[in-house]
Amino acid sequence: MSRFACSPWAVTPINQAMISAVLDFGDIHRDLGGGRTLRRISHERAARADIFLLLGRDAERVTDVGLVWDDREDQIVRVTDDAELRDSRMVAWEEAFELFETEDTDEMAEPLRLVA
């Protein structure tokens, strides 16, 4: 296998098109105080055709991008990426809870109980 091959679980890096999409089409604005605003794109907005045509396969990924915008200076202060948080939330949930427990002796046994 080539050392340049990308593993299937690798996350696409944030690119300029994603940042521009958040600036232009961001529908979530959270006031952080001090003249700063957190801008994001919601999942509903990212599912629309114009975002999909603009970003292609990165349309789902753009929902992980957050921009801290300074209204006084009209510039980006910080770019945040929540992709690792989203992935780790699911892993932590799956590790913490076994949804169905069965007896170890019989693989074809019906689930004994639901644990959550």
Side-chain angles (χ1 to χ4, degrees), residues 1 13 17 19 27-29 32-34 40 43 61 71 77 82-83 88 92-93 95-96 100 104 114:
M1 186 155 135
I19 294 172
D27 58 341
I28 299 173
H29 299 279
L32 300 176
R40 300 184 76 95
H43 293 285
R61 173 81 169 93
D71 295 322
V77 176
D82 294 338
S88 64
W93 175 262
E95 288 176 358
F100 295 100
D104 295 333
L114 176 66

Side-chain angles (χ1 to χ4, degrees), residues 1-8 10:
M1 186 155 135
S2 171
R3 67 183 178 119
F4 297 111
C6 183
S7 61

